[in-house]
Structure formats: structure tokens, C-alpha cells
Amino acid sequence: KNEVEQSPQNLTAQEGEFITINCSYSVGISALHWLQQHPGGGIVSLFMLSSGKKKHGRLIATINIQEKHSSLHITASHPRDSAVYICAVREASGTYKYIFGTGTRLKVLA
Amino acid sequence: DTGVSQNPRHKITKRGQNVTFRCDPISEHNRLYWYRQTLGQGPEFLTYFQNEAQLEKSRLLSDRFSAERPKGSFSTLEIQRTEQGDSAMYLCASSSPFSVEAFFGQGTRLTVV
């Protein structure tokens, strides 16, 4: 079992729909990142969370430390949101390296 | 400071050739990480530097791979005798000892033909 699990793996939505991507992890963490990766492109950090909730534009990220779960929501989705969204958790000790989920491939249709 | 910079952004090489990638972290970030992302997978940890010391290496880092951070600033990742299986996105990240946040570079996409 992977230490970071994302669901769904693939998601197709119609423009305007509300989208939720989930991330569950099994290790102790100091922070959690949501990252966005466009085809052929590099990685862009959307949010860094250690508790609670953050909002940026149409994007909302929440984390529940006790349940070891985070969600990324996209409101009023748009075709330009089509990308791979990756959850990454940072270890709470040691080298503090990141462990990544395998990503959720989102396609938003016009 | 413009963030973590990686060069080149793209590299196409013939099988058997050596390649070197460079990562310039954010100034004064003493922690530097290399990750590798193959198609359809999330990034996987390769190696970690604290200042100039390489403190952890993944088993993914075969003998053909070597990473350095000679002065505790920029880092290089070299792959010798490249194989088609080395085709991937190589990501660098850096962080400060005073923050839980790491900053990611845009990555170097390697294609071995």
C-alpha cells in the first residue's frame, strides 16, 4: 500500500462543475502540498498546508490532521484547469523529504 | 530571488551518453532534494543534501547516477551511460531549516533515444 493515496486517479468533468480530489496518507507529516502539473510541464505548487483550510481564487484546500486526509476543491471548473494534481506530504522528521501520490489526471470539457 | 531554477528544461540524448543537470536552490536554503518522475507516476525521492553533505540516497539511485553539491549552493545530477529507462522528469526542491515548506523547480525532462 502506498504511503500517499489519491482518488480518483482520473476525472473528467464538464465546465462549471465543482471538483473534489482526495488525498489520504499513512505517515506522520509536517506539511502537505498540492501541486499542479500540465502535460509536458513542470510542477507548480498550489498550496502548502499544515492545518485547516486555504483558499486561492477558485481553489480550496483542506486538511484534517487527525484523519490524515486532505481534499482539493475546484469551484466553477474551467478547461484550463485540466492538469495532473499531485498530493505530496513532507515527513515529520529525518530528512523531511516529500512522499508523493501518483496524481489525479483531471480533464475539464468545455 | 526567482525560486528554484533547473537547467536545462529539456534534454534529448542518445542511449549510452552522459548527461548532467543543474539545480540552483533558493538562496540560503540548506536542504536540497532530487526526485524522479516517470510517466504516469508521482515523483520518487532520489537523494538529499544538507549543505554540501549528501545525507540520504534512494536505492533508485544506481551506480550510474551521481549527485553533488560542492559548495552547499547549486547541485548537479549526472547520469552516466544513459538507458531508455532513465527517461523521466527530474525534479529539484529546496527548503530552509526554519520552514516546513519546500519549493520545487520546474524540472528537467530527459528523453533517452
Side-chain angles (χ1 to χ4, degrees):
Chain A
K1 189 178 189 296
N2 292 335
E3 291 167 302
V4 180
E5 298 270 2
Q6 282 185 241
S7 63
Q9 290 187 342
N10 294 283
L11 180 58
T12 300
Q14 292 293 324
E15 184 173 358
E17 283 187 14
F18 181 86
I19 288 163
T20 295
I21 301 170
N22 295 300
C23 174
S24 295
Y25 53 92
S26 57
V27 296
I29 70 167
S30 56
L32 181 146
H33 269 264
W34 281 102
L35 308 166
Q36 181 191 57
Q37 187 174 36
H38 284 279
I43 280 186
V44 175
S45 178
L46 299 174
F47 293 103
M48 192 277 293
L49 296 162
S50 52
S51 65
K53 175 180 175 178
K54 286 191 177 179
K55 184 175 189 293
H56 185 254
R58 296 180 295 105
L59 302 178
I60 303 166
T62 62
I63 188 168
N64 185 319
I65 298 294
Q66 286 73 32
E67 294 186 4
K68 295 191 173 180
H69 181 268
S70 175
S71 293
L72 176 68
H73 306 285
I74 305 175
T75 61
S77 59
H78 190 277
R80 64 175 174 266
D81 298 326
S82 299
V84 176
Y85 292 85
I86 302 172
C87 171
V89 300
R90 192 172 194 197
E91 290 182 331
S93 61
T95 61
Y96 300 94
K97 65 179 179 283
Y98 277 84
I99 306 168
F100 293 80
T102 55
T104 294
R105 188 172 300 276
L106 171 66
K107 188 170 185 179
V108 181
L109 304 175
Chain B
D1 199 334
T2 56
V4 179
S5 175
Q6 290 189 245
N7 288 288
R9 290 293 309 280
H10 302 274
K11 177 72 177 178
I12 300 174
T13 191
K14 291 184 179 177
R15 192 173 50 187
Q17 297 293 307
N18 299 343
V19 293
T20 300
F21 311 138
R22 177 177 169 127
C23 171
D24 286 89
I26 292 173
S27 298
E28 298 175 357
H29 277 194
N30 68 333
R31 297 173 188 262
L32 186 146
Y33 306 82
W34 284 99
Y35 296 88
R36 181 175 71 184
Q37 183 184 26
T38 52
L39 200 61
Q41 300 296 315
E44 296 173 291
F45 171 76
L46 290 180
T47 190
Y48 160 67
F49 288 87
Q50 185 166 310
N51 300 311
E52 65 275 9
Q54 188 175 20
L55 296 185
E56 187 173 340
K57 292 197 315 184
S58 161
R59 281 176 290 179
L60 293 174
L61 217 64
S62 76
D63 291 344
R64 297 184 297 105
F65 287 70
S66 63
E68 293 184 342
R69 194 182 183 197
K71 295 182 180 179
S73 57
F74 72 91
S75 176
T76 57
L77 178 67
E78 181 183 16
I79 309 174
Q80 295 182 325
R81 306 181 302 283
T82 51
E83 301 172 357
Q84 285 189 319
D86 297 331
S87 296
M89 173 79 87
Y90 290 84
L91 284 166
C92 177
S94 71
S95 70
S96 137
F98 311 112
S99 170
V100 297
E101 186 170 12
F103 294 81
F104 294 90
Q106 291 274 298
T108 294
R109 185 171 295 280
L110 172 67
T111 303
V112 182
V113 298

